[in-house]
Amino acid sequence: MLYPTPIAKLIDSFSKLPGIGIKTATRLAFYTIGMSDDDVNDFAKNLLSAKRELTYCAICGNLTDDDPCAICQDTSRDRTTILIVEDSRDVSAMENIQEYHGLYHVLHGLISPMNGIGPDDINLKSLIERLMDSEVTEVIVATNATADGEATSMYISRVLKPAGIKVTRLARGLAVGSDIEYADEVTLLRAIENRTEL
Amino acid sequence: MLYPTPIAKLIDSFSKLPGIGIKTATRLAFYTIGMSDDDVNDFAKNLLSAKRELTYCAICGNLTDDDPCAICQDTSRDRTTILIVEDSRDVSAMENIQEYHGLYHVLHGLISPMNGIGPDDINLKSLIERLMDSEVTEVIVATNATADGEATSMYISRVLKPAGIKVTRLARGLAVGSDIEYADEVTLLRAIENRTEL
């Protein structure tokens, strides 16, 4: 397509985003031109400041604009429990339910033998260091319920159990609101295995 | 969700784009943070320069970084024909087939009685002015094949025909590569009405 250079460049920038092809990028670029000056200036400023100001917490690896992050600094939180997640979005999902009050550890990935990602390629070493001489008694593995998530969870459990730390993981079963009819077989299997008394 | 301020603001900016909800905006914002510094800087720069440098051609209304636009300035183009489109993206689609060598006129909208948009609300007045004392002999109406597109095309034809200007519109029929089985009734009707000799 023949577009004036400024819009062609903007389309190019949009199309670098995941899941955005050339047609969507074009639609977004044209929409942006129709936006108010303030909105576009804010957008550009927010892009730069998110990239510039955000860093990873030196303790837990969570994305933060303040190192150590607010959660690690919060003395009111339970320091005997660490919940392990794949990325910062999982921390937010967990914080959102306002039920967990311990600390976190963000792995920035999962062990994936198929893709050649081993324990040293994710933020695991710092977890081991963090657990040495700490007051942590339980580690909750909250990785996704996928093959890589399971592999990571198995690895962590094998490494930490000999050190006398209780390792748990999130329950597997039917998602709330879901139909048995449409549940996959493995989920149903786990749901029967892990049945609870009423 | 509880995100650090810089990323919350970036998510907010992304979610102002059309078709992008809060979940996609979050995914895009996190992806952006993982992009290279250069890519993010370019993105921000492209946003600002697209907004700042682009303007509408005073003659045809096309989006351009140079007024009048390259097409209006191009003396090699056929100045007896004007093709009328809804927006600048349609100009690019048309230029892409490299078959039309006349001029354009961009309406920036369509007449839409249902939404209270009349002839004065779109870039039509400048077309009439443009046609006065011009060498234009044919106006091709290339609005979308929708109700509003048809309304606009009818209006233009009624206004221009008395002035002795030939008004044509793009052919209606089966899209190339489409199945008769799945074509809607109106399209099939037009395809039969406008059948051509082999």
Side-chain angles (χ1 to χ4, degrees), chain A residues 15-100:
Chain A
S15 65
K16 282 184 181 152
L17 298 173
I20 294 189
I22 193 76
K23 291 216 171 182
T24 308
T26 307
R27 193 163 54 92
L28 295 180
F30 273 87
Y31 182 87
T32 312
I33 293 166
M35 275 163 63
S36 73
D37 279 352
D38 281 353
D39 277 351
V40 176
N41 288 340
D42 281 352
F43 194 173
K45 210 181 61 190
N46 293 341
L47 272 171
L48 295 174
S49 66
K51 183 73 189 165
R52 204 182 300 128
E53 294 166 22
L54 289 174
T55 177
Y56 295 113
C57 172
I59 299 172
C60 72
N62 191 14
L63 203 65
T64 177
D65 51 352
D66 190 18
D67 189 11
C69 73
I71 295 173
C72 287
Q73 281 189 37
D74 186 346
T75 51
S76 72
R77 296 189 77 111
D78 171 16
R79 301 196 161 259
T80 64
T81 318
I82 291 186
L83 191 140
I84 303 180
V85 291
E86 182 182 347
D87 67 31
S88 299
R89 275 169 288 184
D90 300 332
V91 172
S92 300
M94 209 47 87
E95 283 296 282
N96 218 31
I97 56 171
Q98 301 188 350
E99 185 59 39
Y100 175 73

Coordinates of all heavy atoms in Angstrom, one line a residue, chain A residues 15-100:
Chain A
S15 N 2.6 -3.0 13.7 CA 2.6 -4.4 13.3 C 3.6 -5.2 14.0 O 3.7 -6.4 13.8 CB 2.7 -4.5 11.8 OG 3.9 -4.0 11.4
K16 N 4.5 -4.6 14.7 CA 5.5 -5.3 15.5 C 4.9 -5.9 16.8 O 5.5 -6.8 17.4 CB 6.7 -4.4 15.9 CG 7.6 -4.2 14.7 CD 8.8 -3.4 15.2 CE 9.7 -3.2 14.0 NZ 10.5 -1.9 14.1
L17 N 3.7 -5.5 17.1 CA 3.0 -6.0 18.3 C 2.5 -7.4 18.1 O 2.1 -7.7 16.9 CB 1.9 -5.1 18.8 CG 2.4 -3.6 19.2 CD1 1.2 -2.7 19.4 CD2 3.3 -3.7 20.4
P18 N 2.4 -8.2 19.1 CA 1.9 -9.6 18.9 C 0.5 -9.7 18.5 O -0.4 -8.9 19.1 CB 2.2 -10.3 20.2 CG 2.1 -9.2 21.2 CD 2.7 -8.0 20.5
G19 N 0.1 -10.5 17.5 CA -1.3 -10.7 17.2 C -1.8 -9.6 16.3 O -3.0 -9.5 16.0
I20 N -1.0 -8.6 15.9 CA -1.5 -7.5 15.1 C -0.8 -7.6 13.7 O 0.4 -7.4 13.6 CB -1.2 -6.2 15.8 CG1 -2.0 -6.1 17.1 CG2 -1.4 -5.0 14.9 CD1 -2.0 -4.8 17.8
G21 N -1.7 -7.9 12.7 CA -1.2 -8.0 11.4 C -1.2 -6.7 10.7 O -1.6 -5.7 11.3
I22 N -0.9 -6.7 9.4 CA -0.8 -5.4 8.7 C -2.1 -4.7 8.6 O -2.2 -3.4 8.7 CB -0.1 -5.6 7.3 CG1 0.3 -4.3 6.7 CG2 -1.0 -6.5 6.4 CD1 1.6 -3.8 7.3
K23 N -3.2 -5.4 8.5 CA -4.5 -4.8 8.3 C -5.0 -4.1 9.6 O -5.5 -3.0 9.6 CB -5.6 -5.8 7.9 CG -5.4 -6.3 6.5 CD -6.7 -6.5 5.7 CE -6.4 -6.8 4.3 NZ -7.5 -7.0 3.4
T24 N -4.8 -4.8 10.7 CA -5.1 -4.2 12.0 C -4.2 -3.1 12.3 O -4.7 -2.0 12.8 CB -5.0 -5.3 13.2 OG1 -5.8 -6.4 12.8 CG2 -5.6 -4.8 14.5
A25 N -2.9 -3.2 12.0 CA -2.0 -2.1 12.3 C -2.4 -0.9 11.5 O -2.3 0.2 12.0 CB -0.6 -2.6 11.8
T26 N -2.9 -1.0 10.3 CA -3.3 0.1 9.4 C -4.5 0.8 10.1 O -4.6 2.0 10.2 CB -3.7 -0.4 8.0 OG1 -2.6 -1.1 7.5 CG2 -4.0 0.8 7.1
R27 N -5.5 -0.1 10.5 CA -6.7 0.5 11.2 C -6.3 1.2 12.4 O -6.8 2.3 12.7 CB -7.6 -0.7 11.5 CG -9.0 -0.3 11.9 CD -9.9 -1.5 11.8 NE -9.5 -2.6 12.6 CZ -9.8 -2.8 13.9 NH1 -10.6 -2.0 14.5 NH2 -9.3 -3.9 14.6
L28 N -5.4 0.7 13.2 CA -5.0 1.4 14.5 C -4.3 2.7 14.2 O -4.5 3.7 14.8 CB -4.1 0.4 15.3 CG -4.7 -0.8 15.9 CD1 -3.7 -1.6 16.7 CD2 -5.9 -0.5 16.7
A29 N -3.4 2.6 13.1 CA -2.6 3.8 12.8 C -3.6 5.0 12.3 O -3.4 6.1 12.8 CB -1.6 3.5 11.7
F30 N -4.5 4.6 11.5 CA -5.5 5.6 11.0 C -6.3 6.1 12.2 O -6.6 7.3 12.3 CB -6.4 5.1 9.9 CG -5.7 5.3 8.6 CD1 -4.9 4.3 8.0 CD2 -6.0 6.4 7.8 CE1 -4.3 4.5 6.8 CE2 -5.4 6.6 6.6 CZ -4.5 5.7 6.1
Y31 N -6.7 5.2 13.1 CA -7.5 5.6 14.3 C -6.7 6.6 15.1 O -7.2 7.6 15.6 CB -7.9 4.4 15.1 CG -8.8 4.8 16.3 CD1 -10.1 4.9 16.1 CD2 -8.2 5.0 17.5 CE1 -10.9 5.2 17.2 CE2 -9.0 5.4 18.6 CZ -10.4 5.5 18.4 OH -11.1 5.8 19.5
T32 N -5.4 6.3 15.3 CA -4.5 7.1 16.1 C -4.5 8.6 15.6 O -4.5 9.5 16.4 CB -3.1 6.6 16.2 OG1 -3.2 5.2 16.4 CG2 -2.3 7.2 17.3
I33 N -4.4 8.7 14.3 CA -4.3 10.0 13.7 C -5.6 10.8 14.0 O -5.5 12.0 14.2 CB -4.1 9.9 12.2 CG1 -2.7 9.3 11.9 CG2 -4.2 11.3 11.5 CD1 -2.5 8.9 10.5
G34 N -6.7 10.1 14.1 CA -7.9 10.8 14.5 C -8.1 11.1 15.9 O -9.1 11.8 16.3
M35 N -7.2 10.6 16.8 CA -7.3 10.8 18.2 C -6.9 12.2 18.6 O -6.3 12.9 17.8 CB -6.4 9.8 19.0 CG -7.1 8.4 19.2 SD -5.9 7.2 19.7 CE -5.2 7.8 21.2
S36 N -7.3 12.7 19.8 CA -6.9 14.0 20.2 C -5.4 14.1 20.4 O -4.8 13.1 20.7 CB -7.6 14.4 21.5 OG -7.0 13.7 22.6
D37 N -4.9 15.3 20.3 CA -3.4 15.5 20.5 C -3.0 15.0 21.9 O -2.0 14.4 22.0 CB -3.1 17.0 20.4 CG -3.0 17.5 18.9 OD1 -3.0 16.6 18.1 OD2 -2.9 18.7 18.7
D38 N -3.8 15.3 22.9 CA -3.5 14.9 24.2 C -3.3 13.4 24.4 O -2.4 12.9 24.9 CB -4.5 15.4 25.2 CG -4.4 16.9 25.5 OD1 -3.3 17.4 25.1 OD2 -5.2 17.4 26.2
D39 N -4.3 12.7 23.8 CA -4.3 11.2 23.9 C -3.0 10.6 23.2 O -2.4 9.7 23.7 CB -5.5 10.6 23.2 CG -6.7 10.6 24.2 OD1 -6.5 10.9 25.4 OD2 -7.8 10.3 23.8
V40 N -2.7 11.2 22.0 CA -1.5 10.7 21.3 C -0.2 11.0 22.1 O 0.7 10.2 22.2 CB -1.5 11.2 19.9 CG1 -0.2 10.8 19.2 CG2 -2.7 10.8 19.1
N41 N -0.1 12.2 22.6 CA 1.0 12.6 23.4 C 1.2 11.7 24.6 O 2.3 11.3 24.9 CB 1.0 14.1 23.8 CG 1.2 15.0 22.7 OD1 1.7 14.6 21.6 ND2 0.7 16.3 22.8
D42 N 0.1 11.5 25.3 CA 0.1 10.6 26.4 C 0.6 9.2 26.1 O 1.4 8.6 26.8 CB -1.3 10.5 27.1 CG -1.6 11.7 27.9 OD1 -0.7 12.5 28.1 OD2 -2.8 11.8 28.4
F43 N 0.0 8.7 25.0 CA 0.4 7.4 24.5 C 1.9 7.3 24.3 O 2.6 6.4 24.8 CB -0.3 7.1 23.2 CG -0.4 5.7 22.7 CD1 -1.1 5.3 21.6 CD2 0.4 4.7 23.4 CE1 -1.2 4.0 21.2 CE2 0.3 3.4 23.0 CZ -0.4 3.0 21.9
A44 N 2.5 8.2 23.6 CA 3.9 8.2 23.3 C 4.7 8.3 24.7 O 5.7 7.6 24.9 CB 4.3 9.4 22.4
K45 N 4.2 9.2 25.6 CA 4.9 9.4 26.8 C 4.8 8.1 27.7 O 5.8 7.7 28.3 CB 4.2 10.5 27.6 CG 5.1 11.3 28.5 CD 4.3 12.4 29.2 CE 3.2 11.9 30.1 NZ 2.3 12.9 30.6
N46 N 3.6 7.5 27.7 CA 3.5 6.2 28.5 C 4.3 5.1 28.0 O 4.9 4.3 28.7 CB 2.0 5.8 28.5 CG 1.1 6.8 29.2 OD1 1.6 7.6 30.0 ND2 -0.2 6.8 28.9
L47 N 4.5 5.0 26.6 CA 5.4 4.0 26.0 C 6.8 4.2 26.6 O 7.4 3.3 27.0 CB 5.4 4.2 24.5 CG 4.4 3.5 23.7 CD1 4.4 3.9 22.3 CD2 4.6 2.0 23.8
L48 N 7.3 5.5 26.5 CA 8.7 5.7 26.9 C 8.9 5.5 28.4 O 9.8 4.9 28.8 CB 9.1 7.2 26.5 CG 9.1 7.4 25.0 CD1 9.4 8.9 24.7 CD2 10.2 6.5 24.3
S49 N 7.9 6.0 29.2 CA 8.1 5.9 30.6 C 7.9 4.5 31.1 O 8.6 4.1 32.0 CB 7.2 6.9 31.4 OG 5.9 6.6 31.3
A50 N 7.0 3.7 30.5 CA 6.9 2.3 30.9 C 8.2 1.6 30.7 O 8.7 0.8 31.5 CB 5.8 1.6 30.2
K51 N 8.8 1.9 29.5 CA 10.1 1.2 29.1 C 11.2 1.7 30.1 O 12.1 0.9 30.4 CB 10.4 1.5 27.7 CG 11.7 0.9 27.1 CD 11.5 -0.6 26.9 CE 12.8 -1.3 26.6 NZ 12.7 -2.7 26.7
R52 N 11.2 3.0 30.4 CA 12.3 3.6 31.1 C 12.2 3.3 32.6 O 13.2 3.0 33.3 CB 12.4 5.1 30.9 CG 13.7 5.7 31.1 CD 13.7 7.2 30.8 NE 13.3 7.6 29.5 CZ 12.3 8.4 29.2 NH1 11.6 9.0 30.2 NH2 12.0 8.7 28.0
E53 N 11.0 3.5 33.2 CA 10.9 3.4 34.6 C 10.7 2.1 35.3 O 10.9 1.9 36.4 CB 9.7 4.3 35.1 CG 10.0 5.8 34.8 CD 8.7 6.6 34.9 OE1 7.7 6.2 35.6 OE2 8.6 7.7 34.3
L54 N 10.3 1.1 34.4 CA 10.0 -0.2 35.0 C 11.3 -1.1 35.1 O 12.1 -1.0 34.2 CB 8.9 -0.9 34.2 CG 7.5 -0.4 34.4 CD1 6.5 -1.0 33.5 CD2 7.0 -0.5 35.8
T55 N 11.4 -1.8 36.2 CA 12.5 -2.7 36.3 C 12.0 -4.0 37.0 O 10.9 -4.1 37.4 CB 13.6 -2.0 37.1 OG1 14.7 -2.9 37.3 CG2 13.1 -1.5 38.5
Y56 N 12.9 -4.9 37.2 CA 12.5 -6.1 37.9 C 13.0 -6.1 39.3 O 14.1 -5.7 39.6 CB 13.0 -7.4 37.2 CG 12.4 -7.5 35.8 CD1 13.2 -7.4 34.6 CD2 11.1 -7.8 35.7 CE1 12.6 -7.5 33.4 CE2 10.5 -7.9 34.4 CZ 11.2 -7.8 33.3 OH 10.7 -7.9 32.1
C57 N 12.2 -6.4 40.3 CA 12.5 -6.4 41.7 C 13.7 -7.4 41.9 O 13.7 -8.5 41.4 CB 11.3 -6.9 42.5 SG 11.7 -7.1 44.2
A58 N 14.7 -6.9 42.6 CA 15.9 -7.7 42.8 C 15.7 -8.9 43.6 O 16.4 -9.9 43.6 CB 17.0 -6.8 43.4
I59 N 14.6 -8.8 44.5 CA 14.3 -10.0 45.4 C 13.4 -11.0 44.7 O 13.8 -12.2 44.5 CB 13.6 -9.5 46.7 CG1 14.6 -8.5 47.4 CG2 13.3 -10.7 47.5 CD1 14.0 -7.8 48.6
C60 N 12.2 -10.6 44.2 CA 11.3 -11.6 43.7 C 11.2 -11.6 42.2 O 10.5 -12.5 41.6 CB 9.9 -11.3 44.3 SG 9.1 -9.8 43.6
G61 N 11.8 -10.6 41.5 CA 11.7 -10.6 40.0 C 10.4 -10.0 39.4 O 10.2 -10.0 38.2
N62 N 9.6 -9.5 40.3 CA 8.3 -8.9 39.8 C 8.6 -7.6 39.1 O 9.6 -6.9 39.5 CB 7.4 -8.7 41.0 CG 6.0 -8.3 40.5 OD1 5.6 -8.5 39.4 ND2 5.2 -7.8 41.5
L63 N 7.8 -7.2 38.1 CA 7.9 -5.9 37.4 C 7.5 -4.8 38.4 O 6.5 -4.9 39.0 CB 7.0 -5.9 36.2 CG 7.3 -5.0 35.1 CD1 8.6 -5.4 34.4 CD2 6.2 -5.1 34.1
T64 N 8.4 -3.8 38.5 CA 8.1 -2.7 39.5 C 8.7 -1.4 39.1 O 9.7 -1.4 38.3 CB 8.6 -3.1 40.9 OG1 8.4 -2.1 41.8 CG2 10.1 -3.4 40.8
D65 N 8.2 -0.3 39.6 CA 8.8 1.0 39.3 C 9.6 1.4 40.6 O 10.1 2.5 40.6 CB 7.8 2.0 38.9 CG 6.6 2.1 39.9 OD1 6.6 1.2 40.8 OD2 5.8 3.0 39.8
D66 N 9.8 0.5 41.5 CA 10.5 0.8 42.8 C 11.1 -0.5 43.2 O 10.5 -1.5 43.4 CB 9.4 1.2 43.8 CG 9.9 1.8 45.0 OD1 11.1 2.2 45.0 OD2 9.2 1.8 46.1
D67 N 12.5 -0.5 43.4 CA 13.2 -1.7 43.7 C 13.7 -1.7 45.1 O 14.4 -0.8 45.5 CB 14.3 -1.9 42.7 CG 15.0 -3.3 42.8 OD1 14.4 -4.1 43.5 OD2 16.1 -3.4 42.2
P68 N 13.4 -2.6 46.0 CA 12.5 -3.8 45.9 C 11.1 -3.4 45.7 O 10.7 -2.3 46.1 CB 12.7 -4.6 47.2 CG 13.8 -3.9 47.9 CD 14.0 -2.6 47.4
C69 N 10.3 -4.3 45.2 CA 8.9 -4.0 44.8 C 8.0 -3.8 46.1 O 8.4 -4.1 47.2 CB 8.3 -5.1 44.0 SG 7.9 -6.6 44.8
A70 N 6.8 -3.2 45.9 CA 5.9 -2.9 47.0 C 5.6 -4.1 47.9 O 5.5 -4.0 49.1 CB 4.7 -2.2 46.5
I71 N 5.5 -5.3 47.2 CA 5.1 -6.5 48.0 C 6.3 -6.9 48.8 O 6.1 -7.3 50.0 CB 4.7 -7.6 47.0 CG1 3.4 -7.2 46.3 CG2 4.5 -8.9 47.7 CD1 2.9 -8.1 45.1
C72 N 7.5 -6.9 48.3 CA 8.7 -7.4 49.1 C 8.9 -6.4 50.2 O 9.4 -6.8 51.3 CB 9.9 -7.5 48.2 SG 9.9 -8.9 47.1
Q73 N 8.6 -5.1 50.0 CA 8.8 -4.1 51.1 C 7.7 -4.1 52.2 O 8.0 -3.6 53.3 CB 8.8 -2.7 50.4 CG 10.1 -2.3 49.7 CD 10.1 -0.9 49.3 OE1 9.6 0.0 50.1 NE2 10.7 -0.6 48.2
D74 N 6.6 -4.7 51.8 CA 5.4 -4.7 52.7 C 5.7 -5.6 53.9 O 5.6 -6.8 53.8 CB 4.2 -5.1 52.0 CG 2.9 -4.9 52.8 OD1 3.0 -4.7 54.0 OD2 1.8 -5.0 52.2
T75 N 6.0 -5.0 55.1 CA 6.3 -5.8 56.3 C 5.1 -6.5 56.9 O 5.2 -7.4 57.7 CB 6.9 -4.9 57.4 OG1 6.1 -3.8 57.6 CG2 8.3 -4.5 57.0
S76 N 3.9 -6.1 56.4 CA 2.7 -6.8 57.0 C 2.4 -8.1 56.3 O 1.5 -8.8 56.7 CB 1.5 -5.8 56.8 OG 1.1 -5.8 55.5
R77 N 3.1 -8.4 55.2 CA 2.8 -9.7 54.5 C 3.5 -10.9 55.2 O 4.5 -10.7 55.8 CB 3.3 -9.6 53.1 CG 2.5 -8.5 52.3 CD 2.7 -8.5 50.8 NE 2.0 -9.6 50.2 CZ 1.0 -9.5 49.4 NH1 0.6 -8.3 49.0 NH2 0.5 -10.5 48.8
D78 N 2.9 -12.0 55.0 CA 3.4 -13.3 55.6 C 4.7 -13.7 54.9 O 4.7 -14.1 53.8 CB 2.3 -14.3 55.4 CG 2.8 -15.7 55.8 OD1 3.8 -15.8 56.4 OD2 2.1 -16.7 55.4
R79 N 5.8 -13.6 55.7 CA 7.1 -13.9 55.1 C 7.5 -15.4 55.1 O 8.6 -15.8 54.8 CB 8.2 -13.1 55.7 CG 7.9 -11.6 55.6 CD 9.0 -10.7 55.8 NE 8.6 -9.4 55.2 CZ 9.0 -9.0 54.0 NH1 9.9 -9.7 53.4 NH2 8.6 -7.9 53.5
T80 N 6.5 -16.3 55.5 CA 6.8 -17.7 55.6 C 6.4 -18.4 54.3 O 6.6 -19.6 54.2 CB 6.2 -18.3 56.8 OG1 4.8 -18.3 56.7 CG2 6.6 -17.6 58.1
T81 N 5.7 -17.7 53.4 CA 5.1 -18.4 52.2 C 5.6 -17.6 51.0 O 5.5 -16.4 50.9 CB 3.6 -18.4 52.3 OG1 3.2 -18.7 53.6 CG2 3.0 -19.3 51.3
I82 N 6.0 -18.4 50.0 CA 6.4 -17.8 48.7 C 5.5 -18.5 47.6 O 5.5 -19.7 47.6 CB 7.9 -17.9 48.4 CG1 8.7 -17.0 49.3 CG2 8.2 -17.6 46.9 CD1 10.2 -17.0 49.0
L83 N 4.9 -17.7 46.8 CA 4.1 -18.2 45.7 C 4.9 -18.0 44.4 O 5.3 -16.9 44.1 CB 2.7 -17.5 45.7 CG 1.7 -18.2 44.7 CD1 0.3 -18.1 45.4 CD2 1.6 -17.4 43.4
I84 N 5.1 -19.1 43.7 CA 5.9 -19.0 42.4 C 5.0 -18.9 41.2 O 4.2 -19.7 41.0 CB 6.8 -20.2 42.3 CG1 7.7 -20.3 43.6 CG2 7.7 -20.2 41.1 CD1 8.6 -21.5 43.6
V85 N 5.3 -17.9 40.4 CA 4.5 -17.7 39.2 C 5.4 -17.5 38.0 O 6.6 -17.3 38.1 CB 3.5 -16.5 39.3 CG1 2.4 -16.7 40.3 CG2 4.3 -15.2 39.6
E86 N 4.8 -17.7 36.8 CA 5.6 -17.5 35.6 C 5.9 -16.1 35.2 O 7.1 -15.8 34.9 CB 4.8 -18.1 34.4 CG 5.6 -18.1 33.1 CD 4.8 -18.7 31.9 OE1 3.7 -19.3 32.1 OE2 5.2 -18.4 30.8
D87 N 5.0 -15.2 35.3 CA 5.3 -13.8 35.0 C 4.5 -12.8 35.9 O 3.6 -13.2 36.6 CB 5.2 -13.5 33.5 CG 3.8 -13.5 33.0 OD1 2.8 -13.3 33.7 OD2 3.7 -13.9 31.8
S88 N 4.8 -11.5 35.7 CA 4.2 -10.5 36.5 C 2.7 -10.4 36.4 O 2.0 -10.0 37.4 CB 4.8 -9.1 36.2 OG 6.2 -9.1 36.4
R89 N 2.1 -10.8 35.3 CA 0.7 -10.7 35.1 C 0.0 -11.7 36.1 O -1.1 -11.4 36.6 CB 0.3 -11.1 33.7 CG 0.3 -9.8 32.8 CD 0.2 -10.2 31.4 NE 1.4 -10.9 30.9 CZ 1.7 -11.2 29.7 NH1 0.7 -11.1 28.8 NH2 2.8 -11.8 29.3
D90 N 0.7 -12.8 36.4 CA 0.1 -13.8 37.3 C 0.1 -13.2 38.7 O -0.8 -13.5 39.5 CB 1.0 -15.1 37.3 CG 1.0 -15.7 35.9 OD1 0.0 -15.5 35.1 OD2 2.0 -16.4 35.5
V91 N 1.1 -12.4 39.1 CA 1.1 -11.8 40.4 C -0.1 -10.9 40.5 O -0.9 -10.9 41.5 CB 2.4 -10.9 40.6 CG1 2.3 -10.1 41.8 CG2 3.6 -11.8 40.6
S92 N -0.4 -10.1 39.4 CA -1.6 -9.2 39.5 C -2.9 -10.0 39.6 O -3.8 -9.6 40.4 CB -1.6 -8.4 38.2 OG -0.5 -7.6 38.2
A93 N -3.0 -11.1 38.9 CA -4.2 -12.0 38.9 C -4.4 -12.5 40.3 O -5.5 -12.5 40.9 CB -4.1 -13.1 37.9
M94 N -3.3 -12.9 41.0 CA -3.3 -13.4 42.3 C -3.7 -12.3 43.3 O -4.5 -12.5 44.2 CB -2.0 -14.0 42.6 CG -2.0 -15.2 43.6 SD -3.2 -16.5 43.3 CE -2.3 -17.5 42.1
E95 N -3.1 -11.2 43.2 CA -3.3 -10.0 44.1 C -4.8 -9.6 44.0 O -5.4 -9.1 45.0 CB -2.4 -8.9 43.8 CG -1.0 -9.0 44.3 CD -0.9 -9.1 45.8 OE1 -1.0 -8.1 46.4 OE2 -0.8 -10.2 46.3
N96 N -5.3 -9.8 42.8 CA -6.7 -9.3 42.6 C -7.7 -10.0 43.4 O -8.8 -9.5 43.7 CB -7.0 -9.6 41.1 CG -7.8 -8.5 40.5 OD1 -7.7 -7.3 40.9 ND2 -8.7 -8.8 39.5
I97 N -7.5 -11.3 43.8 CA -8.4 -12.0 44.6 C -8.3 -11.7 46.1 O -9.2 -12.1 46.8 CB -8.4 -13.6 44.4 CG1 -6.9 -14.1 44.7 CG2 -8.7 -14.0 43.0 CD1 -6.9 -15.6 44.8
Q98 N -7.3 -10.9 46.4 CA -7.1 -10.4 47.8 C -7.2 -11.5 48.9 O -7.8 -11.3 49.9 CB -8.2 -9.3 48.1 CG -8.1 -8.2 47.1 CD -8.9 -7.0 47.5 OE1 -9.8 -7.1 48.4 NE2 -8.8 -5.9 46.9
E99 N -6.7 -12.7 48.6 CA -6.8 -13.8 49.5 C -5.4 -14.3 49.9 O -5.3 -14.8 51.0 CB -7.6 -14.9 48.8 CG -7.9 -16.1 49.7 CD -8.8 -15.7 50.9 OE1 -9.7 -14.9 50.7 OE2 -8.5 -16.3 52.0
Y100 N -4.4 -14.0 49.1 CA -3.1 -14.5 49.4 C -2.3 -13.3 49.9 O -2.2 -12.2 49.3 CB -2.4 -15.0 48.1 CG -1.0 -15.4 48.3 CD1 -0.7 -16.6 49.0 CD2 0.0 -14.6 47.8 CE1 0.7 -16.9 49.2 CE2 1.4 -15.0 48.0 CZ 1.7 -16.1 48.7 OH 3.0 -16.4 48.9

